[in-house]
Amino acid sequence: MEPESGPSASRNRSQLSWVNLSRNLLLAYQSLGVVYGDLSTSPLYVYTSTFKGKLQNHHDEETIFGAFSLIFWTLTLIPLLKYVFILLSADDNGEGGTFALYSLLCRHAKFNLLPSQQAADEELSSYKYGPSSQATASSPLKRFLEKHKRLRTVLLVVVLFGACMVIGDGVLTPAISVLASVSGLQNTEAKLTHGELVLIACIILVGLFALQHYGTQKVAFVFAPIVIIWLVSIFSIGLYNTIRWNPRIVCAISPHYIIKFFIKTGKEGWISLGGILLCITGTEAMFADLGHFTALSIRLAFTIVIYPCLVVQYMGQAAFLSKNLNSIHNSFYDSIPGAIFWPVFVIATLAAIVGSQAAITATFSIIKQCHALGCFPRVKIVHTSKHMFGQIYIPEINWILMILTLAVTIGFQDTTLIGNAYGLACMTVMFVTTFLMALVIIFVWQKSIVIATMFFLFFWLIEGVYLSAAFIKVHQGGWVPLVLSFFFMIIMYVWHYGTRRKYSYDLRNKVSLKWLIGLGPSLGIVRVPGIGLIYSELATGVPAIFSHFVTNLPAFHKVMIFVCVKSVPVPHVPPEERFLIGRVCPKPYRMYRCIVRYGYKDIQRDDGEFENHLIQSIAEFIQMEAVEQPQFSSSETSLHDGRMAVISTRNLESTSSLIVSEHEDVGVDNDIPSRPITLQQLKSTFDDDNTQVRRRRVRFQLPTDNGSNHAAREELLDLIQAKEAGVAYIMGHSYVKARKSSSFLKKLVIDIGYSFLRKNCRSPAVALNIPHISLIEVGMIYYV
């Protein structure tokens, strides 16, 4: 038997490896339409941007050879070495980007500034991703950073600044890509004017943004073949130009030509690096879009397809320019043989649209993650794909991006000026990524500080030279990403500051549990049939809105559930780990707590099942507690707003606690004795007038013998009867104001800035998909 098991196991392994390889090859194909559209369209404008301005007096073969050598080594060191071989290994549960690096740091060191974090969050399966952090517990650097809150704040500001630059990319990428692609029309017999080219570019841009609500997946899968055709085209044209015009360009791969370039051009050559760096714009997408693919698929696509095609294209374009110096102003289209000009022009325009699509999608994703960190106002998030998780569309941001992109296109009307802005934005994001990666090497990978320092200095030296050249061109368009980043940073700061002040107020004004327990199970008020869901940002304690409500209306539901919806520093929380259930007071009070946890890339879906999952989770908690009760009888206080349990809610199905049955919710529920006749009639009238809101209704029943004791059975029966009587959602309708003693700046931020954002963003009830007919809002003024 043993000799036969060897070949069999070998065949199984080979089949698995073949399945894995074929899956990665398919993902590599799909990544061409999502990740590489921007990077692959850079040849449209790199040489034109490089040789305009200060290098106008150095239009000769030696300078062009040096420029190509710079492009070759820039592509080799940053996209290939830094991103493909190093950065793609620093994923967070398969996710990439600056927020993934920040999330890893927050989990392996106490850098997190999110409120309402609990020890139970560290038990999430996705929280434990990566090496254990025990080995770095004694690190002096780690203790120093954890001790000083200001340093942690600086780290968050750096991350948000990088995020703002990504938003800037979302504005500038469509502008430069589309404008550069249509510039080829100047070479045709029509000889369109510059204004007509800008008009055509604007029409394409409006169409691009108008199609965003269809989602990236459809566009990406359709356009992946176009990117492949584009790559084959630029490879073939590059190879043709190299052979025909100047085969000696192959020698320029030697870094010796870089030295000769700077010796000859001096300061002008250094300033021209602002154009050279455009050859790596779009590189960040390889890491940011990692969650949709795999590291291996992205590596395969870049090393086998993207890298060779780009190198050969830049080589061929340089060979052409070395013999046609007058074509520098429109180098790409001039280098195309006349017979294939129109097919290449069409493909270039479509490839530019694909590149723009990727940048816009990345902007949506970044804003969603900023919101999860509590650093961006609530916006409408639409999930555009049932199959590819994370593909989202944000209408408000989409139209703002469109307006800004059109303003940049019409305002500059020149790819060189837009390129100055674009290069600064992209290089700043890379600069931030290098800094965060150095910290990940120390705290997550647990490598020596010497290794992290070598990585940090090597890439910061390269990127710092490029960034300094980009900053020289601030007055020539480079100010655009800085202004955009400043604008979005102000929005993020004001929202984050106001949210934190409001949370601190809730934390200081919690209702005393001793006072509640002293009132007895009735709480000194009338307990009416039904369930009251009290929403709050507090993960512990009773919020002030509860006391404010019962003070003005001394009645409340028989079952109370304090709900806290919060974000945790992981990309995704598995559905079976989403709910944390616990008690607030002793059993007779019928008061529970539910903490709903989401990752920074999770989408809160409006599937209408939240109530049912919540009731089922509490029933499971009651049943579990009844089984484990003897273990906790000696510690009664542990059941009072302390002990929490993770309850799985992946599927709505019958369990040992409850029997689940479904039926269509039509007409009046005459079999529910706890619901008054008047309320039944009102519900019937509402259903008749609003037939579109009818949905399936889930009925819970108690099993004849579920093995629980009498007290637990009685509690489950109360829960079911309360659910049948109806569920009400109670939220605070808050007005946040600065205290009279506050400084002028604080009053400006809170009373004007934060109030404006709150009034013009989506309300919490809409963001949490709370049914409007069941909502009760409690007005409160927060003096912070």
Side-chain angles (χ1 to χ4, degrees):
M1 296 295 293
E2 289 185 3
E4 294 177 5
S5 64
S8 176
S10 177
R11 280 196 302 271
N12 289 334
R13 282 195 300 269
S14 64
Q15 288 175 357
L16 286 173
S17 62
W18 170 248
V19 170
N20 185 50
L21 179 61
S22 60
R23 174 176 173 268
N24 278 289
L25 287 174
L26 177 62
L27 288 172
Y29 163 76
Q30 292 177 342
S31 72
L32 295 173
V34 176
V35 177
Y36 295 110
D38 186 11
L39 186 62
S40 65
T41 53
S42 297
L44 288 169
Y45 44 78
V46 169
Y47 281 111
T48 301
S49 298
T50 301
F51 284 96
K52 267 191 177 181
K54 297 293 184 180
L55 280 187
Q56 286 184 351
N57 299 324
H58 298 281
H59 290 183
D60 54 70
E61 182 178 297
E62 189 176 350
T63 306
I64 291 170
F65 275 38
F68 166 69
S69 187
L70 276 168
I71 291 171
F72 172 78
W73 285 105
T74 303
L75 280 171
T76 302
L77 292 176
I78 295 182
L80 187 62
L81 178 59
K82 176 186 167 184
Y83 280 86
V84 171
F85 290 114
I86 300 176
L87 220 58
L88 287 179
S89 301
D91 65 299
D92 178 16
N93 291 276
E95 297 291 339
T98 53
F99 276 97
L101 296 177
Y102 181 68
S103 174
L104 283 171
L105 291 171
C106 287
R107 300 207 304 273
H108 287 79
K110 296 177 182 178
F111 296 159
N112 195 6
L113 291 173
L114 283 175
S116 70
Q117 296 303 296
Q118 299 170 285
D121 298 337
E122 299 180 11
E123 299 301 318
L124 289 167
S125 57
S126 53
Y127 200 100
K128 301 173 183 178
Y129 185 83
S132 171
S133 58
Q134 298 298 320
T136 58
S138 61
S139 167
L141 178 61
K142 181 181 176 183
R143 289 199 304 268
F144 178 76
L145 292 174
E146 290 177 344
K147 184 179 179 182
H148 294 82
K149 185 179 178 181
R150 288 187 177 181
L151 293 176
R152 288 182 282 140
T153 304
V154 168
L155 180 63
L156 177 60
V157 169
V158 169
V159 172
L160 294 178
F161 182 67
C164 289
M165 283 294 181
V166 173
I167 297 172
D169 283 351
V171 173
L172 297 168
T173 300
I176 191 171
S177 298
V178 174
L179 191 58
S181 65
V182 301
S183 65
L185 291 174
Q186 288 182 322
N187 287 27
T188 64
E189 296 178 359
K191 295 293 181 183
L192 297 178
T193 64
H194 201 67
E196 291 170 335
L197 288 177
V198 172
L199 178 61
I200 293 172
C202 289
I203 292 172
I204 293 174
L205 288 171
V206 170
L208 173 64
F209 283 100
L211 293 173
Q212 287 304 305
H213 67 279
Y214 289 110
T216 303
Q217 187 193 15
K218 296 176 183 177
V219 177
F221 198 84
V222 171
F223 280 100
I226 291 173
V227 175
I228 291 176
I229 296 171
W230 165 252
L231 290 168
V232 171
S233 300
I234 61 174
F235 179 85
S236 304
I237 293 168
L239 191 62
Y240 168 80
N241 286 329
T242 300
I243 297 171
R244 180 185 176 186
W245 294 106
N246 197 345
R248 286 184 53 250
I249 190 67
V250 177
C251 301
I253 290 175
S254 169
H256 173 66
Y257 283 86
I258 297 177
I259 300 171
K260 293 171 67 176
F261 174 84
F262 284 115
I263 291 174
K264 183 173 183 179
T265 59
K267 182 181 178 181
E268 287 81 5
W270 167 59
I271 295 174
S272 72
L273 292 177
I276 297 287
L277 67 84
L278 294 177
C279 72
I280 54 173
T281 52
T283 299
E284 188 69 24
M286 283 197 291
F287 187 44
D289 293 333
L290 180 59
H292 304 316
F293 307 99
T294 62
L296 178 59
S297 64
I298 291 179
R299 286 183 173 121
L300 287 172
F302 184 81
T303 53
I304 297 175
V305 181
I306 302 296
Y307 182 73
C309 289
L310 288 178
V311 169
V312 172
Q313 164 56 212
Y314 285 119
M315 183 186 297
Q317 212 174 137
F320 172 80
L321 289 176
S322 66
K323 302 299 182 182
N324 299 271
L325 299 175
N326 294 328
S327 295
I328 283 178
H329 68 284
N330 199 15
S331 59
F332 177 78
Y333 284 109
D334 284 354
S335 67
I336 300 173
I340 60 170
F341 173 83
W342 282 108
V344 173
F345 170 76
V346 173
I347 293 296
T349 304
L350 294 175
I353 293 173
V354 176
S356 304
Q357 175 70 34
I360 295 167
T361 304
T363 303
F364 293 155
S365 180
I366 281 288
I367 286 175
K368 165 69 179 71
Q369 293 167 32
C370 288
H371 170 64
L373 280 176
C375 296
F376 203 86
R378 292 177 293 270
V379 289
K380 181 180 181 180
I381 297 175
V382 181
H383 202 272
T384 59
S385 173
K386 294 180 180 179
H387 308 289
M388 186 177 285
F389 193 86
Q391 295 292 349
I392 59 174
Y393 165 66
I394 305 177
E396 300 98 318
I397 300 301
N398 183 62
W399 302 123
I400 291 172
L401 288 179
M402 186 189 77
I403 292 169
L404 292 174
T405 301
L406 291 175
V408 168
T409 305
I410 296 170
F412 287 124
Q413 302 186 12
D414 184 5
T415 56
T416 302
L417 294 176
I418 301 174
N420 293 339
Y422 188 31
L424 178 60
C426 291
M427 194 51 65
T428 303
V429 175
M430 292 181 184
F431 213 59
V432 170
T433 303
T434 301
F435 170 70
L436 294 174
M437 186 62 208
L439 294 178
V440 167
I441 291 173
I442 299 172
F443 298 120
V444 181
W445 290 1
Q446 301 170 11
K447 301 297 181 182
S448 167
I449 294 180
V450 176
I451 296 175
T453 304
M454 289 172 60
F455 169 86
F456 179 77
L457 293 178
F458 178 75
F459 287 106
W460 254 33
L461 178 64
I462 298 170
E463 293 165 357
V465 172
Y466 280 115
L467 194 61
S468 63
F471 268 111
I472 290 294
K473 298 183 178 181
V474 166
H475 65 287
Q476 298 175 351
W479 56 269
V480 171
L482 296 177
V483 171
L484 288 175
S485 296
F486 179 74
F487 172 73
F488 281 104
M489 281 290 287
I490 291 225
I491 291 176
M492 291 179 181
Y493 169 76
V494 169
W495 185 261
H496 183 70
Y497 180 77
T499 303
R500 289 298 297 267
R501 293 295 95 199
K502 181 176 176 293
Y503 179 79
S504 299
Y505 180 93
D506 280 331
L507 210 56
R508 291 193 306 268
N509 293 275
K510 289 192 296 186
V511 178
S512 170
L513 280 178
K514 290 183 179 179
W515 176 71
L516 278 179
I517 294 172
L519 294 175
S522 68
L523 299 179
I525 57 177
V526 178
R527 300 293 289 271
V528 298
I531 296 177
L533 301 181
I534 304 108
Y535 276 77
S536 168
E537 294 178 1
L538 295 178
T540 58
V542 177
I545 62 165
F546 174 70
S547 62
H548 192 67
F549 182 92
V550 296
T551 300
N552 291 277
L553 181 65
F556 213 85
H557 300 84
K558 190 173 183 179
V559 174
M560 283 182 273
I561 305 172
F562 295 93
V563 181
C564 172
V565 180
K566 70 173 189 178
S567 295
V568 289
V570 296
H572 304 290
V573 175
E576 61 270 18
E577 299 179 20
R578 194 173 305 286
F579 285 88
L580 264 178
I581 305 293
R583 288 192 186 275
V584 176
C585 286
K587 291 183 179 181
Y589 289 72
R590 302 297 190 255
M591 296 171 67
Y592 309 94
R593 180 179 307 285
C594 173
I595 298 174
V596 189
R597 301 177 292 184
Y598 289 95
Y600 58 82
K601 283 207 166 187
D602 280 332
I603 307 294
Q604 299 181 30
R605 297 178 183 270
D606 182 17
D607 55 6
E609 297 293 347
F610 174 76
E611 286 181 16
N612 301 321
H613 284 312
L614 180 58
I615 300 305
Q616 195 175 32
S617 298
I618 292 175
E620 288 295 313
F621 173 78
I622 293 170
Q623 180 75 10
M624 181 189 69
E625 193 179 66
V627 174
E628 300 177 357
Q629 182 65 30
Q631 303 175 21
F632 298 96
S633 58
S634 62
S635 178
E636 186 67 21
T637 56
S638 67
L639 302 178
H640 302 165
D641 202 30
R643 179 172 176 257
M644 305 287 289
V646 177
I647 306 296
S648 175
T649 57
R650 177 175 287 277
N651 297 311
L652 193 64
E653 56 187 15
S654 299
T655 61
S656 60
S657 304
L658 298 175
I659 297 175
V660 181
S661 59
E662 299 180 8
H663 66 275
E664 195 69 23
D665 186 15
V666 291
V668 182
D669 299 319
N670 295 318
D671 58 334
I672 305 173
S674 58
R675 178 173 292 168
I677 297 297
T678 306
L679 288 180
Q680 292 181 18
Q681 293 172 349
L682 285 173
K683 180 182 182 298
S684 176
T685 303
F686 177 80
D687 286 343
D688 290 340
D689 294 338
N690 299 272
T691 55
Q692 73 276 10
V693 300
R694 299 182 188 181
R695 63 178 73 184
R696 68 189 182 95
R697 181 178 178 84
V698 175
R699 177 71 56 81
F700 294 104
Q701 294 177 334
L702 204 59
T704 54
D705 183 17
N706 62 349
S708 58
N709 57 39
H710 176 73
R713 190 174 179 82
E714 184 180 351
E715 190 173 3
L716 288 171
L717 193 60
D718 285 346
L719 182 66
I720 293 172
Q721 290 177 349
K723 171 66 170 67
E724 296 298 334
V727 178
Y729 296 77
I730 294 91
M731 298 193 73
H733 188 83
S734 54
Y735 299 88
V736 183
K737 295 184 177 181
R739 295 176 182 173
K740 292 183 179 179
S741 59
S742 301
S743 64
F744 172 77
L745 183 61
K746 184 175 181 179
K747 289 180 179 178
L748 182 67
V749 170
I750 297 294
D751 294 345
I752 297 178
Y754 186 65
S755 296
F756 175 81
L757 292 175
R758 279 181 65 85
K759 288 176 183 177
N760 290 277
C761 72
R762 294 175 71 79
S763 68
V766 176
L768 293 169
N769 302 315
I770 293 175
H772 185 70
I773 191 174
S774 305
L775 176 64
I776 302 172
E777 291 189 300
V778 183
M780 279 194 67
I781 299 178
Y782 288 73
Y783 288 102
V784 298

